């Protein structure tokens, strides 16, 4: 079955460490996204990519980095520069449609990062 | 003021009840999305609509573009419908990936 796989599901990090969250999709989608979810807030976009080797910053990109070397993979690195990294991280993908915001998103199960 | 407002924030219902969740937005949109987030955290897309009404099983989504308002209805609710329901809008002026999300409505259906 096609879908998005995120790993790990739970991750603990000490302050000052970088961590990388994995996101892999087998849906043949061109576009991939990383969102952050905090309690009581709506999802916020960190980075997105519409094509291999290209990506754009979202609203809260500071302290994060991404790569898109393969169509199937869009890993997110949470760097030590991110001051408040404890959150739930969701990866999503969609076709690359002509109209912004009008493409159905498929989400992964999420990764919960806790900074100790 | 948030660009996407959902009401109510929390909703408790008895099994079998008809449920309505509302979403109001203040920007011009390309489409409106209804999403379902289960307690484990995974999110599923329920509907994407830009006009009229869509139905899937016991779920119905409607949108009124002039009033900038959408509703999600659940008929004959069941405990398995317990989840957080999230409204999100695609903004013509936004980037390809940037939906504007509401904070969600937490629904609990009691047996």
């Amino acid at each position: 079955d096609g879908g998005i796989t995120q790993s790990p599901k739970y991750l603990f990090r000490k302050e000052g460490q970088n961590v990388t969250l994995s996101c892999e999709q087998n849906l043949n989608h061109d576009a991939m996204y990383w969102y952050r979810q905090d309690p009581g807030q709506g999802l916020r976009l960190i980075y997105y990519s519409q094509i291999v080797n290209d990506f754009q910053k979202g609203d809260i990109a500071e302290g994060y980095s991404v790569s898109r070397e393969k169509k199937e993979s869009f890993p997110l690195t949470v760097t030590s520069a991110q001051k408040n990294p404890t959150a739930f991280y969701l990866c999503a993908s969609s076709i690359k449609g002509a109209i912004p915001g009008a493409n159905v998103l498929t989400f992964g199960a999420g990764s919960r990062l806790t900074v100790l | 003021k948030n660009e996407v407002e959902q009401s109510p924030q929390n909703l408790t219902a008895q099994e079998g009840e008809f449920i309505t969740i509302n979403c109001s937005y203040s920007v011009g949109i390309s489409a409106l999305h209804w999403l379902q987030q289960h307690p484990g955290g995974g999110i599923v897309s329920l509907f994407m609509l830009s006009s009229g009404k869509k139905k899937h099983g016991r779920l119905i989504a409607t949108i009124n573009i002039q009033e900038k308002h959408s509703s999600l209805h659940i008929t004959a609710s069941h405990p398995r419908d317990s989840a957080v329901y999230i409204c999100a809008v695609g903004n013509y002026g936004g980037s390809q990936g940037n939906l504007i999300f509401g904070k969600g409505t937490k629904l609990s259906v009691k047996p």
Side-chain angles (χ1 to χ4, degrees):
Chain A
D1 287 336
I4 296 181
T5 301
Q6 287 188 240
S7 63
K9 191 169 177 63
Y10 299 95
L11 184 60
F12 298 89
R13 184 193 100 173
K14 293 182 180 179
E15 284 192 28
Q17 287 182 335
N18 292 354
V19 293
T20 297
L21 308 180
S22 170
C23 178
E24 303 277 335
Q25 53 99 359
N26 60 2
L27 299 164
N28 200 33
H29 285 168
D30 287 304
M32 296 187 74
Y33 316 86
W34 274 106
Y35 293 96
R36 172 179 170 143
Q37 188 177 38
D38 294 284
Q41 294 193 38
L43 275 69
R44 291 180 291 169
L45 183 66
I46 304 171
Y47 269 98
Y48 69 100
S49 168
Q50 296 185 67
I51 195 169
V52 174
N53 292 323
D54 188 42
F55 47 83
Q56 283 76 43
K57 293 181 178 180
D59 294 328
I60 56 166
E62 185 175 349
Y64 299 97
S65 66
V66 294
S67 64
R68 187 86 185 276
E69 297 176 1
K70 298 186 300 182
K71 185 176 184 178
E72 302 79 18
S73 179
F74 192 40
L76 173 74
T77 297
V78 185
T79 75
S80 57
Q82 169 50 236
K83 297 306 178 188
N84 186 21
T86 295
F88 188 58
Y89 292 89
L90 286 150
C91 179
S93 71
S94 74
I95 62 169
K96 182 186 172 185
I99 302 174
N103 306 300
V104 173
L105 295 177
T106 301
F107 286 85
S111 294
R112 189 169 299 279
L113 172 63
T114 302
V115 173
L116 304 173
Chain B
K1 184 181 185 299
N2 293 328
E3 292 166 304
V4 178
E5 296 272 5
Q6 288 186 236
S7 63
Q9 281 186 293
N10 294 284
L11 181 56
T12 300
Q14 288 298 126
E15 183 173 357
E17 286 185 358
F18 180 84
I19 289 163
T20 297
I21 299 170
N22 297 298
C23 176
S24 296
Y25 53 91
S26 58
V27 296
I29 68 166
S30 55
L32 185 140
H33 303 251
W34 281 104
L35 310 168
Q36 180 190 54
Q37 185 170 31
H38 281 284
I43 293 178
V44 174
S45 177
L46 298 174
F47 297 103
M48 183 183 72
L49 64 167
S50 55
S51 65
K53 175 181 175 178
K54 287 190 176 181
K55 183 176 189 293
H56 185 254
R58 295 180 294 106
L59 273 60
I60 303 166
T62 64
I63 188 168
N64 184 317
I65 297 295
Q66 286 72 31
E67 295 187 3
K68 295 188 174 180
H69 180 269
S70 175
S71 293
L72 177 68
H73 305 287
I74 304 175
T75 63
S77 60
H78 189 275
R80 65 175 175 264
D81 297 325
S82 298
V84 175
Y85 292 84
I86 300 170
C87 172
V89 299
N91 185 3
Y92 273 115
S95 60
Q96 183 67 251
N98 207 358
L99 301 183
I100 306 171
F101 292 83
K103 295 181 180 181
T105 295
K106 185 174 183 180
L107 172 64
S108 177
V109 182
K110 306 294 186 187

